[in-house]
């Protein structure tokens, strides 16, 4: 195929640079938590799906906020992210969790059978153009039979970083179907508030056949 190769890191790197990078990203969540804001909805939802010590892959883990919470709860959690600066912050703050620097589009982990694969923090809409199907396929490969894939992402400008285009639930569902994943449920928040078409955020639960 001719043409310019897709840079799978391009979209996120532009947004991360504009917002101050890994340190500023982590500082933002530290400030939220210090002010009393609940920042652990994703970890609680995972905990409601599988018991300790299930294996969880935090795909697009950033600085490890969710992975760190899951490890503290007793899960065998692994984080992976394409941003090396984010991974370095995660490793420094959380030596108990194994963090890998890798691109989700060609992800290959030696231990692949995860009970839950989590894509939080707008990982899906921040993927580089043209990589959604490939990423979801790699995610499915790393999900054990009967396991779950949970993805939460914004569906409008109010729930997305500035400059980030919308990825529709239809496009995401199509990618999941092609990867052999079936939609089980969808909510409007990590607290499982009911989802309706037109909602600004979606948390989708898909399953790999047993």
């Amino acid at each position: 195929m001719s043409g310019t190769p897709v840079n799978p890191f391009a979209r996120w790197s532009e947004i991360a640079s504009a917002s101050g990078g890994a340190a500023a990203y982590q500082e933002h969540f530290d400030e939220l938590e210090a002010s009393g804001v609940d920042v652990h909805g994703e970890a609680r939802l995972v905990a409601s799906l599988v018991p300790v010590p299930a294996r969880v892959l935090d795909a697009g883990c950033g600085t490890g906020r969710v992975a760190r919470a899951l490890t503290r709860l007793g899960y065998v959690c692994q984080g992976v992210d394409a941003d090396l600066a984010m991974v370095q912050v995660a490793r420094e703050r959380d030596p108990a969790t194994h963090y890998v620097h890798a691109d989700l589009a060609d992800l290959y982990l030696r231990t692949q059978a995860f009970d839950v694969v989590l894509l939080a923090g707008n990982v899906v809409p921040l993927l580089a153009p043209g990589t959604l199907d490939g990423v979801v396929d790699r995610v499915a490969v790393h999900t054990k039979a009967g396991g779950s894939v949970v993805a939460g992402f914004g569906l409008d400008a109010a729930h997305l970083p500035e400059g980030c285009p919308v990825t529709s639930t239809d496009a995401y569902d199509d990618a999941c179907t092609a990867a052999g994943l079936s939609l089980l449920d969808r909510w409007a928040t990590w607290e499982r508030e009911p989802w309706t078409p037109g909602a600004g955020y979606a948390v989708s639960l898909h399953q790999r056949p047993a």
Side-chain angles (χ1 to χ4, degrees), residues 6-199:
V6 171
N7 177 0
F9 188 41
R11 181 175 290 166
W12 166 246
S13 63
E14 292 175 3
I15 293 173
S17 296
S19 62
Y25 181 84
Q26 182 57 53
E27 183 178 351
H28 169 68
F29 283 102
D30 287 344
E31 291 174 351
L32 287 176
E33 188 167 15
S35 68
V37 174
D38 180 7
V39 297
H40 298 300
E42 302 97 328
R44 278 198 307 277
L45 191 145
V46 170
S48 74
L49 297 175
V50 290
V52 170
R55 291 178 49 78
V56 181
L57 176 63
D58 187 358
C61 64
T63 54
R65 173 179 58 88
V66 181
R68 187 163 56 251
L70 288 167
T71 296
R72 288 173 178 170
L73 289 173
Y75 290 92
V76 180
C77 191
Q78 184 165 335
V80 59
D81 203 283
D83 187 331
L84 180 57
M86 294 279 183
V87 171
Q88 289 172 333
V89 171
R91 289 170 175 166
E92 290 169 2
R93 293 175 62 96
D94 179 25
T97 303
H98 182 50
Y99 292 98
V100 177
H101 175 225
D103 174 23
L104 296 179
D106 54 16
L107 183 65
Y108 180 84
L109 302 176
R110 280 180 283 182
T111 304
Q112 297 187 3
F114 291 90
D115 297 283
V116 177
V117 179
L118 178 69
L119 298 107
N122 283 319
V123 168
V124 170
L126 285 168
L127 296 173
T131 64
L132 176 61
D133 287 351
V135 167
V136 175
D137 182 71
R138 297 312 304 165
V139 163
V141 166
H142 287 79
T143 306
K144 79 172 192 179
S148 301
V149 176
V150 184
F153 54 93
L155 300 170
D156 59 24
H159 293 84
L160 291 167
E162 184 177 356
C164 180
V166 172
T167 297
S168 69
T169 53
D170 286 344
Y172 178 67
D173 287 346
D174 287 347
C176 287
T177 299
L181 302 171
S182 301
L183 179 65
L184 292 186
D185 214 334
R186 175 165 286 139
W187 306 285
T189 67
W190 292 100
E191 288 71 34
R192 301 196 192 210
E193 293 180 19
W195 185 85
T196 57

